[in-house]
Amino acid sequence: MLDRLPIMLGLRYVRAKRRNHFISFISLTSMLGLMLGVAVLILVLSVMNGFDHELRNRILGMVPHTKIEVREGLSDWQSLAEELTQRERVIGAAPYIQQQGMFSVGGRNEGAMVNGIEPEWEDRVSIIGRHMQQGSLDDLQPGEWNLVLGSMLARSLGVSVGDRVTLLVPEASITPAGVFPRLKRFTVSGIFSVGADLDAGLAYANIEDMQTLARLGDNVEGLRLQLDDLFAANSETRAIIDELGSGYRGIDWTFSHGNLFQAIQMEKRMIGLLLTVIIAVAAFNIVSTLVMVVTDKHADIAILRTIGATPRSIMGIFIVQGLTIGIIGILIGVILGVILALSISDIINFFESVLGIQFLDSNVYFISHLPSRLDWADVGNIVGAAFVLTFLSTLYPAWRAARIQPAEVLRYE
């Protein structure tokens, strides 16, 4: 009987209607605080996971996971591409030429990076084909000098499909009349939009046209590789370079966009830490609840000690009571948080339709909806942290209850 005493009395104290309604109010406040803290933390981390996933898919879908370059240029790139795609982690390879230049049309000038690509190979390393607003990559035929522009770049230049633009590259052509910058007229054959900064500074042309413009002959700058795990890019790049030997250079995505994703992960951790404070405040409200219950139950505790209850059993009673309050709040918070995380996009869409406004303007932000991606590992961490904080909150009041001396209390009863 005494072995079950902590659980029986702890649960009874939770269910009982106390004479002191203020204690009941503090208990309810603690439970609601835990519920809201857990729910909000799950929701916020899910939304941040959603943004991280969108950025990863859009930006790193356009940016190669790693690039293998040769200083003097690569001529037999097909053989190297076939060799590298035999590796376990490499799922695609495509040749490229990159040329920094400036587009000029009608008095408007915009700098951009022009990628010379092989249209038939591009889908192996890029998602651009799935984000074409107008035209197609197949229009980039050799000798036709066609060009695919990002949507923001096309808007800045004021051009659309069918218009002609002039590309100036930072290399000079020496002629009998003097030294002139190298330039070439292109026809805009397509416009893409991935909803990121890449739309403002990226263009695509046929790789043979770029070979002619850059005077590379049959050479390309290197190969872009797509990996099955983008976070293995650094180690995989080093392994490839070690096998290929000297003369080759590897550059993975962490050099160009690593800071962006590190910032997102840092922001996620900091926001998670700040929101955990909400859970901590609610959990430590349980201290106030249990201290008042212990004060209210002095006589009951003394009687229990008199009939043989040990200090450990007395501690167990109030630990069970505090944990019950905490677990109920945590479970309700998890259910509410998961529901909100799974339906927040629909909820935002509903309010947008009712209020007639758009919370995320596609002209300002890279997406027009609020993404959410529930990660059960995050849910587990949140539940674990909330449970630990709740348990720690019960220790001091339970220790105080165990130290009550029956003789001192019953003397005045």
Side-chain angles (χ1 to χ4, degrees):
M1 180 67 180
L2 290 177
D3 291 338
R4 295 183 304 211
L5 183 66
I7 296 176
M8 293 171 58
L9 287 182
L11 295 177
R12 182 179 177 183
Y13 284 169
V14 174
R15 295 193 306 267
K17 294 182 179 180
R18 301 183 182 88
R19 291 167 295 179
N20 190 335
H21 294 289
F22 184 67
I23 298 177
S24 299
F25 174 76
I26 296 297
S27 299
L28 181 61
T29 302
S30 303
M31 191 180 298
L32 291 176
L34 280 169
M35 178 192 73
L36 291 176
V38 169
V40 169
L41 190 51
I42 290 174
L43 175 60
V44 170
L45 292 185
S46 296
V47 170
M48 295 199 70
N49 287 336
F51 276 106
D52 178 71
H53 182 261
E54 289 290 332
L55 279 171
R56 188 180 302 170
N57 278 356
R58 291 174 184 242
I59 295 180
L60 292 184
M62 297 287 290
V63 175
H65 292 173
T66 188
K67 296 188 295 185
I68 305 299
E69 297 180 347
V70 182
R71 184 170 304 173
E72 63 275 7
L74 181 65
S75 57
D76 188 15
W77 60 266
Q78 293 93 339
S79 299
L80 181 60
E82 184 178 352
E83 176 186 344
L84 292 179
T85 51
Q86 299 299 317
R87 298 180 63 88
E88 182 179 356
R89 288 199 174 277
V90 179
I91 58 178
Y96 76 94
I97 294 175
Q98 279 190 335
Q99 181 71 65
Q100 187 73 39
M102 178 177 290
F103 289 107
S104 178
V105 57
R108 298 183 180 183
N109 300 305
E110 293 289 340
M113 179 68 73
V114 183
N115 281 345
I117 63 170
E118 185 67 54
E120 296 179 357
W121 291 64
E122 191 62 18
D123 286 341
R124 306 180 187 188
V125 296
S126 173
I127 62 171
I128 182 177
R130 303 196 295 270
H131 291 272
M132 295 294 298
Q133 288 186 335
Q134 301 178 53
S136 169
L137 290 182
D138 294 333
D139 297 329
L140 300 178
Q141 296 299 318
E144 295 187 4
W145 299 96
N146 286 335
L147 194 69
V148 172
L149 298 178
S151 58
M152 295 175 64
L153 179 59
R155 192 181 305 121
S156 299
L157 293 171
V159 298
S160 59
V161 173
D163 293 336
R164 294 178 66 82
V165 297
T166 300
L167 173 64
L168 292 85
V169 297
E171 295 180 10
S173 296
I174 301 176
T175 68
V179 179
F180 294 93
R182 193 178 305 168
L183 52 86
K184 183 63 182 178
R185 296 271 287 178
F186 284 85
T187 301
V188 179
S189 63
I191 295 176
F192 70 87
S193 176
V194 293
D197 291 342
L198 298 174
D199 293 342
L202 192 60
Y204 289 88
N206 186 274
I207 196 167
E208 293 187 22
D209 292 343
M210 294 305 296
Q211 284 173 333
T212 302
L213 183 63
R215 297 177 178 175
L216 292 176
D218 294 331
N219 290 346
V220 299
E221 288 186 18
L223 292 175
R224 291 178 295 162
L225 304 181
Q226 191 81 355
L227 307 179
D228 61 350
D229 181 6
L230 62 93
F231 293 107
N234 189 266
S235 59
E236 184 67 13
T237 302
R238 289 199 303 267
I240 291 174
I241 297 302
D242 289 342
E243 288 188 11
L244 294 178
S246 60
Y248 292 88
R249 183 178 66 164
I251 304 174
D252 62 81
W253 68 272
T254 58
F255 285 92
S256 57
H257 293 82
N259 291 337
L260 172 63
F261 290 90
Q262 289 175 4
I264 292 175
Q265 292 301 318
M266 178 63 72
E267 185 178 356
K268 179 181 175 181
R269 285 193 291 267
M270 292 305 298
I271 290 179
L273 181 61
L274 292 175
L275 291 178
T276 302
V277 175
I278 299 176
I279 299 177
V281 171
F284 284 106
N285 277 342
I286 296 176
V287 176
S288 303
T289 302
L290 294 182
V291 166
M292 287 186 285
V293 171
V294 169
T295 302
D296 189 52
K297 300 293 185 182
H298 263 53
D300 296 347
I301 295 170
I303 293 172
L304 288 172
R305 290 293 309 278
T306 303
I307 62 175
T310 63
R312 183 176 179 179
S313 297
I314 299 300
M315 284 189 66
I317 292 171
F318 295 99
I319 290 176
V320 168
Q321 182 184 0
L323 286 179
T324 302
I325 294 172
I327 289 172
I328 292 173
I330 292 170
L331 288 178
I332 297 175
V334 168
I335 294 171
L336 180 61
V338 169
I339 292 174
L340 288 175
L342 294 176
S343 58
I344 187 64
S345 298
D346 296 330
I347 293 174
I348 294 298
N349 290 337
F350 171 76
F351 280 109
E352 286 180 342
S353 62
V354 170
L355 300 177
I357 61 175
Q358 188 172 11
F359 291 103
L360 296 176
D361 189 349
S362 58
N363 293 324
V364 178
Y365 303 98
F366 73 95
I367 54 175
S368 58
H369 66 283
L370 189 66
S372 178
R373 187 177 180 86
L374 183 65
D375 187 343
W376 289 106
D378 286 341
V379 175
N381 291 333
I382 293 168
V383 171
F387 181 82
V388 170
L389 290 172
T390 301
F391 176 73
L392 293 176
S393 301
T394 66
L395 294 181
Y396 173 70
W399 177 76
R400 280 193 57 179
R403 286 176 57 85
I404 292 175
Q405 299 298 322
E408 295 293 331
V409 175
L410 296 177
R411 179 184 301 173
Y412 304 102
E413 293 293 331

